[in-house]
Amino acid sequence: MAYRLIVKKFSRILVARGNYLINSFSYSSNSEAKRDEEYADIVISGGGMVGAAMACSLGNCKVLEGKRIILLESGSERKHFTPPQQHSNRMCALNPATVRLLESFGAWKEIESMRCHPILRMQVWESCSESMITFSNERMTDSLAYMVENDVTLAGIMQALKAIGSRVEVRYNTKADHIIIPGSDISDETKLPYVKLTLSDQTVLKTKLLIGADGMNSAVRKTAGFKTVGRDYRQEGVVATLKLGDTTVNNTAWQRFLPTGPIAILPINESHSSMVWTTTREIASHLKELSNESFVDAVNDALWHDRDKNDFANKVLKGLRSVLVNFTPQQARQLPPTVIDVVEGSVASFPLSLVHSTQYVKPRVVLIGDAAHRIHPLAGQGVNLGFGDVECLTSILRQAAKNGADPGSLTHLLQYETDRQRKNVPVMFATDGLQRLYGTASTPLVILRSLGLHATHSMPFLKKRIIEKASI
């Protein structure tokens, strides 16, 4: 009997001790989980030019002070960026609206301290007729745009972001491996009033608003179930840095439409220009295999040859000119520069496609930049539309904060969607339409576009309006 009592008592001690150990382990695990779970008011996924600008713009918004804003960047931090002697072949033409945005949070002065180059004039013409159009501001004193390397633009924004200190937390080498968005599936977690992200370091991050700035193949867009419309142009954009012959001032952007796609030569300094040649995949592959000398010959041929000329279209155009000359002054055509060399290693290409999200917002999720829209580069407006998204969304979130509203609420996010689609969709249709219109040598279409282009060229007030619309 005594033996049984001793065993029973000892068993109780073991059970109690076991329960204590289990509870201690459970508490420790829960504490560890709690330490791994973090909260942020706004999370921006993607630290490219548009995502970084979004973080910088929000970080400079006084009404958002005290809010926790986190930028997730999958790449490594660059402690200090110095532009290399050779220009990068990845460049953008930043319009006045984008420059004003970058000025608003101090990034533009950083960019100017590195390098950029103004475009004061633009001439567009085609290979099938003598039609052309030119654009410039009065007396050519104001820039139509600035040519800036993508690396320089991003470095300028990141420098401005560092200047605002702890108001924005940048997490490098970090991305969201798993995203749970309210309403995205049937799990109970989707009923919670936040987006839940599991990061690559296993940290769990909860946020009231997730901003997807993670590019054309956006994981945020796909996870949230945004539907898209698109088109594969079956073309590639061949880029290169070109050295020009003797030029007095290199401040004109040249663009010539060929039946296979446009070629654009954009100034980057007094002796060099950046080329974007949109063409078929077969021609792009051929161009990349050419020697430097043969590549230069091909570029000059694309700018100067007369093989595509349509005599009938030119006769019709000549008749229109004879009528318009009595009403409007006719500007003389300038000859494009002669290319004398291509910078070694600068020739590359990228595929062209159209991707547009039918929606930009869902509860607690919003898309900006290429995550929402990617268009044909012939008008040079792609990244400018992304920066326009930044400006608009900042304004919307600023007003929401003033009203004490939840930043992830559709009440104000839908206004962002409406405002930006009114801007982005017409540009998308216009660039897609131009690509279709100029991608043929059919005589009726050559006549139609030639008459339209020359008529527009002959109306200064209309050209001024086009410049204004492209600058806002």
Side-chain angles (χ1 to χ4, degrees):
M1 179 67 72
Y3 173 77
R4 290 180 180 177
L5 288 174
I6 292 171
V7 171
K8 190 173 183 180
K9 186 174 182 180
F10 184 68
S11 298
R12 287 176 180 174
I13 292 173
L14 287 177
V15 170
R17 183 62 178 171
N19 289 338
Y20 172 79
L21 290 173
I22 291 170
N23 290 335
S24 297
F25 178 77
S26 177
Y27 177 80
S28 175
S29 299
N30 288 336
S31 298
E32 188 67 25
K34 288 179 180 178
R35 283 199 298 271
D36 286 344
E37 285 190 358
E38 299 182 33
Y39 171 82
D41 295 279
I42 300 173
V43 173
I44 302 160
S45 179
M49 292 185 290
V50 173
M54 187 78 251
C56 207
S57 184
L58 293 177
N60 278 274
C61 187
K62 298 295 183 183
V63 74
L64 291 176
E65 283 188 16
K67 302 292 185 181
R68 191 180 186 195
I69 302 169
I70 295 178
L71 173 64
L72 304 178
E73 166 52 36
S74 60
S76 302
E77 179 181 7
R78 291 187 292 186
K79 298 294 184 180
H80 182 70
F81 175 79
T82 301
Q85 184 177 1
Q86 179 176 313
H87 283 73
S88 168
N89 57 14
R90 297 176 66 241
M91 304 189 75
C92 291
L94 305 183
N95 67 18
T98 294
V99 172
R100 289 192 296 271
L101 172 70
L102 297 175
E103 283 177 334
S104 71
F105 49 72
W108 184 247
K109 66 179 181 180
E110 300 288 348
I111 292 170
E112 285 187 306
S113 70
M114 288 179 276
R115 62 187 179 206
C116 60
H117 194 75
I119 297 174
L120 300 183
R121 184 177 182 274
M122 184 173 187
Q123 179 171 301
V124 181
W125 76 110
E126 71 158 300
S127 63
C128 294
S129 76
E130 298 295 332
S131 64
M132 59 160 264
I133 190 170
T134 61
F135 295 100
S136 65
N137 285 305
E138 292 182 15
R139 297 182 297 278
M140 288 184 64
T141 54
D142 297 324
S143 299
L144 295 174
Y146 286 87
M147 287 299 296
V148 189
E149 294 153 90
N150 291 2
D151 286 344
V152 171
T153 300
L154 181 57
I157 295 171
M158 296 308 292
Q159 281 297 112
L161 193 56
K162 289 177 182 178
I164 64 177
S166 60
R167 278 181 281 174
V168 175
E169 179 185 345
V170 183
R171 297 195 180 182
Y172 295 98
N173 301 308
T174 304
K175 63 178 182 177
D177 285 342
H178 184 60
I179 306 172
I180 297 177
I181 294 171
S184 60
D185 58 42
I186 60 174
S187 70
D188 291 337
E189 289 179 293
T190 62
K191 299 176 183 178
L192 298 175
Y194 49 72
V195 176
K196 186 176 180 180
L197 303 96
T198 303
L199 307 184
S200 49
D201 62 1
Q202 299 307 305
T203 299
V204 174
L205 189 58
K206 298 175 181 179
T207 182
K208 289 183 178 180
L209 177 62
L210 173 62
I211 300 176
D214 48 347
M216 182 180 69
N217 297 314
S218 170
V220 173
R221 186 187 68 225
K222 293 174 182 177
T223 302
F226 287 91
K227 295 181 179 179
T228 62
V229 294
R231 178 190 174 197
D232 182 356
Y233 287 109
R234 302 184 182 279
Q235 292 182 318
E236 291 194 14
V238 180
V239 295
T241 303
L242 308 175
K243 185 176 182 181
L244 308 181
D246 293 336
T247 55
T248 53
V249 180
N250 186 25
N251 56 25
T252 299
W254 309 88
Q255 185 172 45
R256 190 186 199 195
F257 281 93
L258 309 171
T260 52
I263 180 171
I265 308 294
L266 308 157
I268 58 176
N269 60 32
E270 291 306 314
S271 60
H272 290 78
S273 286
S274 177
M275 183 200 78
V276 182
W277 185 349
T278 300
T279 188
T280 64
R281 291 169 178 167
E282 294 75 20
I283 294 177
S285 178
H286 172 69
L287 289 171
K288 289 187 292 184
E289 293 174 355
L290 295 176
S291 65
N292 284 3
E293 183 178 352
S294 297
F295 186 88
V296 168
D297 289 342
V299 172
N300 284 320
D301 180 70
L303 293 172
W304 290 87
H305 79 76
D306 290 331
R307 292 188 298 275
D308 301 328
K309 282 289 185 290
N310 187 306
D311 292 336
F312 183 70
N314 277 327
K315 287 180 181 179
V316 175
L317 181 62
K318 185 177 180 180
L320 176 64
R321 282 177 173 170
S322 64
V323 174
L324 293 178
V325 73
N326 298 317
F327 300 96
T328 59
Q330 302 298 300
Q331 291 179 308
R333 177 193 299 269
Q334 289 189 354
L335 298 178
T338 299
V339 178
I340 62 173
D341 200 3
V342 56
V343 174
E344 189 70 37
S346 68
V347 179
S349 69
F350 56 92
L352 301 180
S353 61
L354 181 152
V355 179
H356 187 264
S357 180
T358 56
Q359 295 173 274
Y360 291 179
V361 302
K362 285 191 174 186
R364 308 207 171 280
V365 185
V366 58
L367 304 178
I368 62 174
D370 280 1
H373 45 78
R374 183 178 177 87
I375 64 173
H376 198 285
L378 67 85
Q381 289 300 305
V383 74
N384 291 304
L385 294 180
F387 285 123
D389 295 344
V390 170
E391 183 177 26
C392 179
L393 185 56
T394 300
S395 177
I396 294 290
L397 293 178
R398 180 189 297 114
Q399 189 58 49
K402 286 181 179 179
N403 297 337
D406 183 337
S409 171
L410 280 179
T411 303
H412 50 271
L413 292 182
L414 285 172
Q415 186 60 51
Y416 160 78
E417 180 179 84
T418 299
D419 291 348
R420 290 314 295 164
Q421 289 200 350
R422 284 176 178 171
K423 174 69 177 182
N424 297 339
V425 172
V427 175
M428 178 187 72
F429 278 120
T431 55
D432 186 64
L434 285 172
Q435 192 276 335
R436 295 173 188 270
L437 180 62
Y438 280 92
T440 177
S442 168
T443 296
L445 288 178
V446 172
I447 293 173
L448 176 65
R449 70 197 188 205
S450 298
L451 295 179
L453 191 67
H454 190 75
T456 304
H457 177 61
S458 302
M459 301 177 186
F461 69 91
L462 184 54
K463 290 201 295 182
K464 183 179 180 181
R465 181 61 177 161
I466 293 173
I467 293 173
E468 291 173 350
K469 291 292 288 183
S471 300
I472 59 176

